[in-house]
Structures are given as C-alpha cells and as structure tokens.
Amino acid sequence: MEIIESIEAMRDRSRELRREGKTISLVPTMGYLHEGHLFLMRDGRSRADCLVISIYVNPTQFSPGEDFERYPRDFERDVALAKQAGVDIIFCPTSNDMYPEGYLTYVNVEKMTAELCGLTRPNYFRGVTTICAKLFNIVAPHLAIFGKKDFQQYQVIRQMVRDLNMELEIVGLPTVRENGGLAMSSRNVYLAAQERESALSLYAALKLADDMYRQGERDARVILAEARKIIEERPYTVIDYAKIVSAQSMKEVTRIEGETVFALAVKVGATRLIDNHVFGDSLEI
Ligand code: PAF
C-alpha cells in the first residue's frame, strides 16, 4: 500500500495507472475509519483495479465553533485498517497544499444545499463540494463511493458531477449500522454510554416511520408526529430537524409520493447525529 501526501505525486500516479489501462475507485474520507468506511472500501475494491482512499479533515466544511479541532484523528490506526481492506493508495494531502495562501475558489451547488443541514451548517456543503471537486481533479477516479447515511451530501455531489460534466460515476451505498441501529459515524466516539442509549431513538424513529409507510400511511405530518415523539421522550435529545423531503430537491413534502426521504438531525448531548431513510428501501440492520 502506498501513502501519498503530495498532490503532484498523486496526479502522476493516477496518470500512470490510466496509461496502463487501469480503473481507479476513490473513497473520500476524513479518517478515523469505521465499519461504514470499510464497507465502502470493500465495494470500491471490487469495482476497480486500483482503490484509492483520501484521508483529509477538510477545514472548509466546518463552521466556526464546530468540531474541526477536536474531530477524531488516528492516522496509524487508519493505515492498518486500510491495509486490511485492500486499499492500494492512501492520499493524505496537507492543508498548505490543498488551500495555499491566496486560495479563492469554491464550488457551490444552489437550492438543495439551503435545506436540511444547510440551514444550521451554512459552510458545510460549499466545503464538501469544493474538496470533492479538488479530489476528483487530483485523483482522477473512474468512480467515487459515498455512504447514503449522508444522503443530502450524496445528492449534492451527484448534482455537482452532473452540472459540471465531471467524468466519473458516483456510487451511493446503504448505511452501515451498529447493533441497535445506530448509524456508524466517526462522531459516535463522542457519545457517553447513556447518550448512546438515547441515540438509538433515531433508528427507532426511522423504523416506526417505515412501518407506518408499509402499512399504507402517506401523510407526512402523521408519520412525523409519531416519529418525533420517540426521539423527544429520550433524555439528552434535541431535534435539529425531522423532515420528510423530496429526494431530489430536499424540500419538505406533505405526502409521500415518488422518491421521498425521512431525514433526521438530532443533538444527543453535545453531539450532532444525522440519519435518514428512503421510503421503500430496506431498513434492516
Ligand atoms: O463524508 C465525509 O467524510 C466528508 O464530508 C467528505 C466527503 C470526505 C469530504 O470531506
């Protein structure tokens, strides 16, 4: 497994691979790898000749006061896990190289980024699309793989790739869950034991919504009222949003028709967790 820090070296390596006719898959990460990432990597491994992962905690997607400084980092552990998962190259650039002095260019997807997480995290999507555009330019992958746990992020990146005619495929994979249904996230490490108990209410709320949908309920307000109760009755929880939205526009809907998503962001203690469920998809653990 190669570890590449320099942008030029990564570019050269990709050019060489492409010249040899090899396909490249990319799994972008911010490190502190967990089973959710490993699932994406195993998939990436099976789809291309060369599997690249990026490890970079991207400062531009954090707002002032968020957890950029204390975001969990453990590079040595990540290297060991990546090796086991069959990663060929870890690309781990520095901020001096990614955002050198005088840096002025950002990529912004409009409208859909103003909904859901965009309401409380104003810089988030601009930072994500900018870093992903940069990674796609540097690594030049044939495909890039994202988890659908961050459903809005996944849709925003697809939109950017479509709109900017980027030449790669975006693959979205289902959420990997711990026992009890908690969606895997690097931020789960922040949760104290009792908070972790309360965090299970996110999955319980999605499950209830899914059950109601399967029994024929299509009124979003009826489902939301029941689902919210499950979260609100647990200690330490504060709902940031609980919305049923169109999977395309991310705008709230009153009836479940077409591709529709139940999207949740909940603060559990000091930790903000997100989760979602596309009605009609499987929600098994
Ligand atoms: O989902 C993440 O871990 C990050 O938002 C990503 C896509 C790696 C961009 O920094």
Side-chain angles (χ1 to χ4, degrees):
M1 189 177 72
E2 295 169 65
I3 299 178
I4 300 182
E5 197 181 284
S6 127
I7 292 174
E8 271 320 302
M10 184 66 241
R11 269 190 194 293
D12 288 347
R13 195 70 187 87
S14 289
R15 278 197 208 107
E16 189 177 52
L17 286 160
R18 280 183 167 255
R19 262 199 311 271
E20 290 167 3
K22 302 248 167 76
T23 51
I24 304 168
S25 56
L26 170 68
V27 178
T29 84
M30 298 208 297
Y32 211 70
L33 303 179
H34 53 65
E35 191 49 46
H37 295 115
L38 299 181
F39 176 59
L40 305 185
M41 289 175 201
R42 284 193 287 269
D43 187 82
R45 170 72 289 153
S46 72
R47 286 177 195 257
D49 300 315
C50 178
L51 169 61
V52 180
I53 71 165
S54 58
I55 298 184
Y56 179 62
V57 184
N58 171 37
T60 61
Q61 69 190 73
F62 292 79
S63 294
E66 290 187 348
D67 58 346
F68 174 69
E69 302 297 342
R70 69 180 191 113
Y71 193 84
R73 292 161 170 91
D74 189 340
F75 188 67
E76 272 179 33
R77 181 174 155 276
D78 288 347
V79 169
L81 288 170
K83 220 180 241 172
Q84 279 169 30
V87 170
D88 296 299
I89 300 173
I90 297 182
F91 175 51
C92 48
T94 64
S95 280
N96 280 343
D97 286 343
M98 287 308 247
Y99 298 108
E101 232 185 281
Y103 187 91
L104 289 175
T105 305
Y106 294 88
V107 179
N108 192 33
V109 173
E110 298 189 349
K111 290 191 175 164
M112 64 199 292
T113 55
E115 308 292 335
L116 303 178
C117 287
L119 290 168
T120 44
R121 304 189 70 193
N123 298 334
Y124 179 68
F125 289 112
R126 186 181 86 138
V128 167
T129 41
T130 300
I131 195 65
C132 286
K134 288 169 71 70
L135 289 169
F136 297 165
N137 279 335
I138 297 164
V139 178
H142 295 81
L143 55 114
I145 302 167
F146 293 85
K148 285 194 187 168
K149 194 210 80 166
D150 302 295
F151 189 80
Q152 190 179 11
Q153 168 176 282
Y154 163 68
Q155 291 291 59
V156 166
I157 289 165
R158 283 187 355 141
Q159 182 79 39
M160 170 185 80
V161 165
R162 243 192 337 265
D163 289 351
L164 297 183
N165 312 102
M166 292 176 165
E167 214 187 339
L168 79 160
E169 183 193 345
I170 300 298
V171 177
L173 295 185
T175 304
V176 180
R177 299 181 179 281
E178 299 181 6
N179 282 342
L182 180 62
M184 296 257 181
S185 161
S186 303
R187 289 191 169 98
N188 290 353
V189 71
Y190 298 150
L191 296 168
Q194 288 162 323
E195 290 173 344
R196 190 169 272 271
E197 273 298 306
S198 289
L200 299 181
S201 65
L202 276 78
Y203 177 70
L206 297 181
K207 191 84 182 78
L208 177 82
D210 184 59
D211 290 345
M212 291 175 78
Y213 173 79
R214 285 178 196 281
Q215 282 155 25
E217 185 59 74
R218 294 291 182 272
D219 187 328
R221 282 160 303 193
V222 173
I223 293 181
L224 283 175
E226 294 306 313
R228 288 184 72 101
K229 274 189 223 158
I230 292 198
I231 298 170
E232 281 164 350
E233 70 193 13
R234 302 297 310 176
Y236 315 112
T237 59
V238 177
I239 295 177
D240 173 359
Y241 61 74
K243 289 184 180 173
I244 292 179
V245 300
S246 145
Q248 266 62 53
S249 68
M250 298 290 142
K251 278 193 183 306
E252 225 171 342
V253 296
T254 50
R255 281 199 69 73
I256 302 169
E257 285 161 349
E259 203 187 1
T260 308
V261 190
F262 181 14
L264 281 174
V266 179
K267 268 199 137 181
V268 182
T271 308
R272 185 174 178 280
L273 300 175
I274 59 170
D275 206 339
N276 72 80
H277 173 56
V278 179
F279 288 102
D281 283 2
S282 163
L283 191 53
E284 297 317 309
I285 299 171

